[in-house]
Each structure stands twice: as C-alpha cells, then as structure tokens.
Amino acid sequence: MIRCLVRVIRIGPAVYGEQSRDWLFPADSESGHMAEHKEKRDDLAKWGNDLRQTFRTIAQATGVAELDVHLLMNHSIPGLNAGYITRNKLLSDHLHQQQEAISRRMLEAGRPHENEPERLPAAWPALPGRWHA
C-alpha cells in the first residue's frame, strides 16, 4: 500500500499538477480526482477496493470499535443514536490512537513471528490481493 501511495504522490504533480494539490488520486475530471476505475480486474494484482477491505479487516481484528472504523473510512454512521456523535468530538486524539493501533498491526503483519522462518521483507507487499485459479 505504501509503495502505491508513494508512486501516486510522485507522479501526480507531473501528470495533474493543479489537481494533485488537493487530491491523492488526481484526474482530468469534473471533480479533479479519480472517481471510477477503468482497468480490467484481471489486469491488476490488487484492486483499489481491496485496500479498503484490508483496512477494515485489520481494524476489526485490532479491536477498533465499529463506529471508529466507520469514521476512519469516511463511511456514514448507521443508526439514529450514532448520528449524535460528531466527528469533532472524536477527531481530537481518539481516532488518532485507533489509527496508530491499526498501523502497528499492519506493520507487524510483515515481520516474522516467533518460530517462523524469516521471510523476505519485500515479498509480502507484492503478493496478489486475490488468488486466481
């Protein structure tokens, strides 16, 4: 994920200078950012939404509350009572701590565990997001 983000941060200003000031994935569109993937699913090892699904899965495995996951992913908050909780009330340090826990869990996934042979650090990010038969 990090390598993908670094590549898009580097190339964005060269391709879409003005839009890249505001958007991580700039585009020549009305909104100024990429709104729809046009690539064929079979052509890519990972798909944009796979990263979001991975984030959500790791967040839940880390024990981050469902409401916090919704806020971190910029999803709408379900339920009437949840609507009374505003982003301003949670943005102080709470969500930052939750994101830190998720990030630590992601980084731990790439490190060898006890009783496990050491893996090549560059191998795990390159694995395909989905296995094809």
Side-chain angles (χ1 to χ4, degrees), residues 63-80:
V64 174
E66 185 72 20
L67 176 62
D68 295 341
V69 174
H70 277 279
L71 290 170
L72 288 168
M73 294 184 70
N74 200 29
H75 286 172
S76 61
I77 303 170
L80 180 61

Side-chain angles (χ1 to χ4, degrees), residues 32-133:
H33 63 86
M34 187 172 68
E36 181 182 353
H37 267 290
K38 300 283 185 181
E39 298 287 340
K40 294 178 184 173
R41 179 96 184 168
D42 294 338
D43 292 346
L44 300 172
K46 293 177 179 53
W47 193 252
N49 202 42
D50 288 345
L51 299 177
R52 291 180 62 82
Q53 292 168 3
T54 300
F55 179 89
R56 182 174 180 81
T57 300
I58 293 173
Q60 289 180 325
T62 305
V64 174
E66 185 72 20
L67 176 62
D68 295 341
V69 174
H70 277 279
L71 290 170
L72 288 168
M73 294 184 70
N74 200 29
H75 286 172
S76 61
I77 303 170
L80 180 61
N81 291 335
Y84 294 113
I85 300 171
T86 64
R87 289 174 190 259
N88 289 336
K89 291 181 183 177
L90 292 173
L91 283 178
S92 57
D93 196 41
H94 176 75
L95 288 180
H96 181 258
Q97 292 172 1
Q98 302 306 307
Q99 179 59 58
E100 283 291 324
I102 295 165
S103 296
R104 273 193 307 276
R105 186 74 172 251
M106 287 180 178
L107 292 173
E108 287 170 5
R111 295 188 185 114
H113 302 307
E114 285 185 38
N115 303 326
E116 223 180 69
E118 189 162 337
R119 297 176 280 176
L120 295 174
W124 71 269
L127 294 175
R130 296 178 188 257
W131 298 99
H132 298 286

